[in-house]
Amino acid sequence: LMSARRAHKPSVGYFLTLEGVDGAGKSTYAHLIADKLKSLGFEVIQTREPGGTELGEQIRQRLLSDQPLMPLAELLMFFAARSEHVERVIAPALKSGQAVVCERFIDSSYAYQGGGRSLPLDWIAHLEAMLGAPEPDLTLFFDLCPTVALERKRAHSEKGDRFEEETIDFYRRVRAIYQQRAEDKPQRIKTISTDSDPASVYRQIEAVLDQFLPTLTPSS
Ligand code: TYD
């Protein structure tokens, strides 16, 4: 069998992000993925957005609280948190050769602020360019049909954060942008369908990781 797995020098680091609509369960799989990278010889740090730094966690609290925010302010706050996160955590870790597993990154801003809040996508592209952040080596997009997402949420029935209280149309727009990006960037973004049982989700993740994660080659 042909393997797409590449050899990887430890000095370059490896950047993996997890994306998807709320309720797709991506947090559940972050550890699995981190363990896999460790078994391949990487030192791994796990982090998330919004958050990952002191300021980032403060911004997160405000962003997820039920106080309303104007869409542009919301977008800029996500990027303010992201800018700290990239400069203080992600870029230095990659530079030192570590693997970074990050729950949510710039794709979330395209999907939620661009799709969900209907802000122009080129505003997000401008911010992305200003930030100059590294592009993820691999992104797992945990896809979920919005009606299933809502059913799962109702089954838990506790009150969610500001985003979890959004309408089904909001989630349809979020999902549409994710799907579009996955189509536009097939090399980087791999779709994991989470509509079905956890065993099938695991199998899909394993298959993607086995095929696309690099193996570490010693630098000297
Ligand atoms: P979080 O608790 O991380 O949600 P989940 O567990 O579903 O991943 O909350 C993050 C919320 O913020 C989530 O609803 C998506 C939203 N978000 C954006 O709208 N834009 C962004 O750029 C990021 C990073 C997150």
Side-chain angles (χ1 to χ4, degrees):
L1 208 77
M2 277 281 285
S3 171
R5 188 176 278 181
R6 294 164 299 143
H8 208 74
K9 291 208 198 81
S11 58
V12 239
Y14 191 80
F15 188 20
L16 190 151
T17 59
L18 309 179
E19 292 283 355
V21 294
D22 307 71
K26 63 186 153 36
S27 312
T28 319
Y29 303 103
H31 281 286
L32 175 84
I33 293 160
D35 286 347
K36 187 91 184 182
L37 280 161
K38 280 177 201 157
S39 77
L40 293 173
F42 283 98
E43 244 180 74
V44 181
I45 69 161
Q46 263 181 264
T47 183
R48 67 166 180 191
E49 293 205 341
T53 65
E54 201 185 335
L55 176 63
E57 292 295 332
Q58 286 169 351
I59 292 177
R60 176 188 178 88
Q61 279 201 354
R62 178 61 185 86
L63 278 167
L64 300 188
S65 79
D66 48 21
Q67 299 294 311
L69 264 179
M70 296 308 279
L72 178 58
E74 181 182 281
L75 172 68
L76 295 173
M77 284 169 73
F78 276 113
F79 267 90
R82 181 166 297 136
S83 155
E84 286 276 313
H85 194 209
V86 166
E87 289 188 47
R88 292 186 193 279
V89 178
I90 297 174
L94 294 175
K95 208 172 161 207
S96 74
Q98 293 175 319
V100 176
V101 176
C102 187
E103 283 178 53
R104 298 194 178 282
F105 197 57
I106 295 174
D107 294 312
S108 281
S109 291
Y110 281 101
Y112 282 79
Q113 281 64 57
R117 303 277 186 237
S118 303
L119 290 176
L121 295 176
D122 64 345
W123 289 8
I124 300 154
H126 282 304
L127 289 165
E128 181 177 16
M130 284 167 64
L131 187 63
E135 172 147 21
D137 295 292
L138 186 66
T139 296
L140 302 190
F141 160 44
F142 290 84
D143 193 19
L144 180 64
C145 163
T147 48
V148 177
L150 274 190
E151 278 164 24
R152 284 188 192 170
K153 214 187 69 165
R154 292 214 182 95
H156 294 294
S157 81
E158 75 268 15
K159 189 180 179 311
D161 62 40
R162 220 162 48 83
F163 291 94
E164 287 163 351
E165 295 298 307
E166 280 296 342
T167 62
I168 191 149
D169 282 333
F170 178 92
Y171 280 106
R172 289 206 177 102
R173 293 195 298 276
V174 169
R175 186 193 197 197
I177 298 285
Y178 271 134
Q179 289 178 329
Q180 184 63 55
R181 290 180 70 72
E183 212 179 296
D184 292 346
K185 298 170 184 295
Q187 306 279 44
R188 169 170 74 85
I189 304 178
K190 311 294 176 190
T191 302
I192 308 287
S193 162
T194 65
D195 287 343
S196 51
D197 59 304
S200 137
V201 177
Y202 267 105
R203 275 197 299 277
Q204 294 175 66
I205 296 172
E206 292 277 356
V208 168
L209 296 183
D210 284 343
Q211 199 182 355
F212 296 105
L213 284 191
T215 48
L216 202 53
T217 54
S219 53
S220 54

